[in-house]
Amino acid sequence: MFDEEARKLTDVDFLAQGTIYPDILESDGVKAHHNVGGLPEDMQFELVEPIKLLYKDEVRVVGKALGLPASMVDRQPFPGPGLGVRCLGAITRDRLEALREADAILREEFDIAGLSSHVWQYFIAVPDFKSVGVKDSKRYEGWPAIIRAVNTTDAMSATIEEIPYSVLHKITDRITHEVDGINRVLYDLTPKPIGTIEWE
C-alpha cells in the first residue's frame, strides 16, 4: 500500500516521521505498531526523523525552544497507525465508531473535571469481544470500553492516574447510555511496566 501511494507522488523527496527514542527501544520485542522499520528498502524518499534520539519530555523542550504553541507541544501522543491500535482485534466500522464516540465522551468529561491538563495520556480501547448486559429489560450483548489514563515523563514507564469515582461514574453512565454497542466501562489500573501505554 505504501509503494502504491508513494508512486502517485512525483514532487516529494522526503518522508518525515515523528519517531522518538522510546519507539526505537520498544520496537525490538515490545511494540508492534511503532514506525520503526517496515518501510520498503527501495523507498524513493529520503527518511527524515529529526527527534529519533529524544525522549518525549526532551521533544517538548525542543518544541518550546522553537516557539511552537503549547497546544501543539503539550498535546497527547496519538498512535501512528491511528485508532486501529485501540480497536483491538478485527477492526469493524461499528466498533470503530463506538470507540470514537466513547473516546469523545471521555475527553469531554476529562475537560469538565479539569483532568485533561495534568494527565499525560488518556483514551478508550474497545476489544473485539462482547459480554451480556441488560437494556430495556432485555438481554443486550455489547463491547466493553476500557479507560486508560497514565502519567509519565519519558514514556518508558508510566503510573496510573487516580480518577475520582464521581467522574468515572459520569463517564460510565454517558458511554453506556449514549454509545451504541457498548454495555460496560472498565478502568485499566496497570502501570508500565508491566503493561504498555497503548494496548497494542
Side-chain angles (χ1 to χ4, degrees):
M1 182 60 76
F2 182 93
D3 281 338
E4 185 178 314
E5 292 300 316
R7 280 196 282 291
K8 298 175 185 175
L9 305 172
T10 56
D11 58 347
V12 176
D13 297 321
F14 300 95
L15 172 65
Q17 293 195 141
T19 305
I20 61 175
Y21 198 48
D23 296 341
I24 294 169
L25 294 175
E26 293 183 341
S27 288
D28 185 17
V30 177
K31 303 292 278 196
H33 76 262
H34 284 319
N35 53 338
V36 177
L39 293 171
E41 288 184 21
D42 59 345
M43 182 175 68
Q44 67 186 22
F45 309 115
E46 183 177 340
L47 183 61
V48 178
E49 297 175 302
I51 55 175
K52 72 177 184 179
L53 297 178
L54 301 178
Y55 288 94
K56 188 66 177 181
D57 57 323
E58 296 170 325
V59 171
R60 287 185 166 147
V61 169
V62 170
K64 288 175 184 170
L66 290 172
L68 297 175
S71 60
M72 183 182 289
V73 173
D74 296 326
R75 74 180 179 88
Q76 288 194 43
F78 189 78
L83 291 178
V85 298
R86 297 176 183 167
C87 192
L88 309 164
I91 300 170
T92 64
R93 188 178 307 273
D94 290 346
R95 199 157 43 88
L96 195 54
E97 186 58 31
L99 168 62
R100 283 190 191 105
E101 291 176 19
D103 199 70
I105 290 169
L106 175 74
R107 291 176 189 289
E108 185 177 311
E109 293 301 330
F110 265 45
D111 285 344
I112 291 168
L115 292 168
S116 55
S117 60
H118 73 271
V119 179
W120 192 80
Q121 188 169 4
Y122 52 93
F123 58 88
I124 297 283
V126 179
D128 188 14
F129 63 82
K130 291 186 174 184
S131 65
V132 175
V134 178
K135 187 174 185 178
D136 301 324
S137 301
K138 296 179 183 174
R139 178 185 176 99
Y140 172 55
E141 291 188 356
W143 303 293
I146 303 166
I147 298 172
R148 183 87 169 129
V150 299
N151 281 317
T152 183
T153 301
D154 58 11
M156 294 301 296
S157 63
T159 58
I160 301 306
E161 176 66 22
E162 293 188 16
I163 302 172
Y165 271 110
S166 58
V167 176
L168 287 172
H169 285 302
K170 189 172 181 189
I171 292 167
T172 299
D173 185 64
R174 285 196 60 199
I175 289 175
T176 55
H177 286 87
E178 296 176 28
V179 181
D180 287 339
I182 292 183
N183 70 353
R184 292 176 192 267
V185 176
L186 312 175
Y187 185 39
D188 182 352
L189 293 171
T190 314
K192 177 182 180 179
I194 189 161
T196 53
I197 293 174
E198 292 285 351
W199 269 59
E200 289 225 27

